[in-house]
Amino acid sequence: MKLRYMIIGAGGVGGPVGAYLSKSGADTTLIARGKHLAVLQEHGLTLVSGENERESIPVKAIDMDGFLAAREQGAPAPDVIFVCVKGYSLADTVPFIRKAAGRDTVVIPVLNIYGTGRALQAELPELLVTDGCIYISANRIAPGVIQKHGAICRIVYGLPSHKTDHPVLQQVETDLKNAGIDPVYSPYVERDTLLKFAYVSPNAACGQYYHAKAAEMQHPGEVRDSFVRLMKEVVALADKMGIPLESRRGELVERNLRILDALAPTASTSMQRDMEAGKQSEVDGLIYQVVRLAEQYGVDVPEYRKIAEAVKKQTENK
């Protein structure tokens, strides 16, 4: 089965995914805009890793209006849409997806915010929407250029039915493997996406509070201790939500510390980078939402409350 892929959002998440799929020979179209789009169309997408490692990969890229115009002229719909935008941009993608998709198009959101798949499914009841997330550390450093921090690139996706027999999603698994991406077609996607959130949310919260990059969290001390406390609070919240994340004490903490320690020392979260640049960020979904859920489920999260209050003051003072 030959699938047509669309990647909405060609930044630090969608850029590498689209480049790897394109390089493997998969029919892949990246949705981008402005100068970034122009560079992608003329020079391809350049991935930078390590000290001086650069690879430019030819990609197909177009903006939303251009793709919809092509659809009106009879261009085929994508079989699979990877939604790789920031959480605050999700609502803006819904009208485009409605027009760009075909009847059988499958939508796979891989955002940082927990619960995105179910929220998007409610907006797109006519389509099949999975839950999903991605493990990657990368950011756009110039139009057409993505800086990768570390080698990890893992996409987790699945359906709330817990079935893993959907033929398109099975083919996605094969295509991602062929592209050098680690796929997890999960029968327990609610747990697995919350597992990711239990890493990325504490990482973002701790990094923002201490203005720290990975290096400060990779060594014993107050910053790493805070990261651990935040993870334990998410585990306690998950237990109350009926989605236990651990089979034995400390399992999640040990796992996430291994992920953290494998990052390049210079790695930071996209939320940190956006907040430092004065841009819109995912702070609401990554930090404040945890405090709201804790209040809803009656869970004490003192580390999250401390950081949420401090971050609100940081943003109010800018």
Side-chain angles (χ1 to χ4, degrees):
M1 182 188 300
K2 179 76 170 178
L3 299 179
R4 292 182 296 271
Y5 289 92
M6 172 187 285
I7 313 293
I8 302 179
V13 171
V17 172
Y20 292 146
L21 282 168
S22 298
K23 185 179 178 181
S24 72
D27 184 346
T28 307
T29 300
L30 284 77
I31 301 297
R33 61 187 178 183
K35 180 65 174 176
H36 188 51
L37 172 62
V39 174
L40 294 180
Q41 291 175 330
E42 187 172 355
H43 301 292
L45 189 143
T46 299
L47 294 175
V48 180
S49 57
E51 291 293 328
N52 297 301
E53 299 176 25
R54 299 174 68 92
E55 181 182 16
S56 293
I57 300 170
V59 296
K60 287 194 300 182
I62 194 170
D63 62 15
M64 289 184 175
D65 290 341
F67 186 86
L68 294 181
R71 285 282 285 135
E72 290 177 359
Q73 296 299 315
D79 298 302
V80 177
I81 298 176
F82 278 106
V83 182
C84 304
V85 299
K86 300 288 181 65
Y88 52 77
S89 297
L90 186 65
D92 295 336
T93 70
V94 171
F96 171 69
I97 293 173
R98 286 198 185 107
K99 295 177 181 178
R103 183 182 61 185
D104 299 319
T105 297
V106 176
V107 181
I108 305 178
V110 290
L111 282 70
N112 285 329
I113 310 303
Y114 180 72
T116 300
R118 294 311 87 210
L120 196 55
Q121 181 70 87
E123 294 290 331
L124 300 166
E126 68 280 11
L127 300 177
L128 179 64
V129 182
T130 75
D131 291 303
C133 62
I134 186 169
Y135 288 85
I136 191 170
S137 181
N139 62 288
R140 196 180 87 177
I141 57 174
V145 184
I146 305 294
Q147 172 78 58
K148 285 189 62 196
H149 308 278
I152 189 171
C153 186
R154 177 182 303 128
I155 292 179
V156 180
Y157 64 96
L159 297 168
S161 66
H162 300 164
K163 293 182 178 180
T164 55
D165 58 357
H166 192 285
V168 171
L169 295 178
Q170 289 174 329
Q171 186 62 47
V172 168
E173 183 178 32
T174 298
D175 291 348
L176 291 176
K177 285 181 180 176
N178 291 338
I181 298 169
D182 180 19
V184 179
Y185 182 10
S186 172
Y188 305 108
V189 73
E190 302 98 328
R191 179 201 65 195
D192 288 345
T193 51
L194 189 52
L195 273 172
K196 161 66 186 298
F197 187 78
Y199 169 78
V200 71
S201 171
N203 191 16
C206 185
Q208 180 61 30
Y209 182 74
Y210 289 99
H211 300 287
K213 295 187 177 180
E216 288 93 328
M217 300 185 211
Q218 290 168 338
H219 302 288
E222 171 57 24
V223 182
R224 190 177 180 92
D225 290 345
S226 175
F227 180 58
V228 170
R229 289 192 293 269
L230 290 163
M231 287 189 286
K232 289 180 177 179
E233 290 179 359
V234 176
V235 169
L237 176 59
D239 285 343
K240 278 284 191 176
M241 293 170 66
I243 311 175
L245 299 182
E246 295 186 312
S247 59
R248 63 182 178 83
R249 189 173 183 84
E251 184 180 66
L252 178 140
V253 170
E254 294 169 3
R255 170 186 174 273
N256 283 354
L257 286 175
R258 287 194 298 271
I259 293 171
L260 173 69
D261 292 343
L263 291 178
T266 56
S268 62
T269 68
S270 61
M271 189 198 82
Q272 284 175 258
R273 295 190 295 269
D274 287 341
M275 293 189 75
E276 288 168 1
K279 298 178 181 178
Q280 193 171 7
S281 78
E282 294 180 309
V283 64
D284 184 77
L286 289 176
I287 299 179
Y288 305 151
Q289 175 67 358
V290 177
V291 177
R292 290 193 295 266
L293 284 172
E295 291 173 352
Q296 178 183 340
Y297 285 93
V299 180
D300 190 23
V301 288
E303 194 74 5
Y304 265 103
R305 281 191 283 103
K306 176 186 77 175
I307 289 177
E309 291 168 5
V311 171
K312 283 180 181 177
K313 289 180 180 177
Q314 290 173 8
T315 56
E316 289 169 357
N317 292 335
K318 284 188 177 182

